Amino acid sequence: MKIYIVYDSEGDHTKALARSIAEGAKQVNEAEVFLDHVSQADVYKLAEMDAIIWGCPGHFGTISSGLKAWIDKLGYLWAEGKLVNKIGAVFCTTATTHGGVEATMLNLITPMLHQGMIIVGLPGNIPENALYGSYYGVGITCPVESSAIIPNEGLELGRALGERVAQITQSFTKEKYGDDQ
């Protein structure tokens, strides 16, 4: 099963979170994980993927311009239904506690719903998400004054999301294609 993680990042925060998501996904057997900055990401690869995870820094509660421009290139995939029933998940980082983490994730989910994708979040019974996370995906606050790029709790959430997406994708692809996949 193929999982594509696409991220926009001006610094290292969102990049570090994307890498932790990839680490989590790789914990699941048969997961083949691709990780690209949006400037290198290929929209033509998406039709070949079983799961797509995208994320960015929150810019005033919405999608960064770099990722939004990339998402806006997906119209032909929508017209041909190429992403229908693919697994999708989202993540973002912000510099302030109330910097629009959940608003950004909801804005990231919307194009996935338009594409007919199946959205995977993090339920509260996942230990990493019980007190620190969000149900919509992974949203991390990375205060500018902090010495850590991302707090350990954030990296744990990233790994938890990656693993959950890979597990659900594995289950879904086995059901769709049989155990040969």
Side-chain angles (χ1 to χ4, degrees), residues 1-157:
M1 90 191 122
K2 295 180 179 180
I3 300 170
Y4 198 12
I5 302 168
V6 176
Y7 68 94
D8 191 10
S9 185
E10 289 106 21
D12 289 331
H13 298 98
T14 312
K15 180 180 182 178
L17 183 55
R19 285 182 174 169
S20 73
I21 292 167
E23 287 173 18
K26 289 175 183 176
Q27 295 303 308
V28 176
N29 288 338
E30 303 171 16
E32 188 178 357
V33 180
F34 304 89
L35 177 67
D36 280 332
H37 184 275
V38 70
S39 65
Q40 303 297 316
D42 183 356
V43 296
Y44 297 103
K45 283 185 181 178
L46 294 177
E48 304 166 15
M49 298 297 143
D50 298 300
I52 301 159
I53 306 170
W54 60 48
C56 64
H59 286 186
F60 307 105
T62 194
I63 305 170
S64 68
S65 61
L67 187 59
K68 178 67 169 92
W70 185 81
I71 290 170
D72 285 345
K73 296 176 186 176
L74 307 182
Y76 82 95
L77 291 167
W78 171 83
E80 296 178 12
K82 296 285 188 184
L83 302 185
V84 171
N85 291 334
K86 303 238 184 236
I87 304 298
V90 300
F91 61 99
C92 79
T93 60
T94 60
T96 59
T97 303
H98 300 289
V101 168
E102 289 190 341
T104 301
M105 286 190 289
L106 289 170
N107 282 305
L108 287 166
I109 288 169
T110 301
M112 289 183 166
L113 292 171
H114 281 252
Q115 293 283 353
M117 295 174 70
I118 300 165
I119 308 303
V120 172
L122 280 176
N125 68 338
I126 291 179
E128 297 85 358
N129 203 39
L131 298 174
Y132 185 73
S134 170
Y135 305 112
Y136 305 113
V138 176
I140 306 299
T141 301
C142 309
V144 176
E145 68 278 0
S146 173
S147 61
I149 291 179
I150 290 189
N152 282 335
E153 298 92 344
L155 296 174
E156 289 173 17
L157 281 172

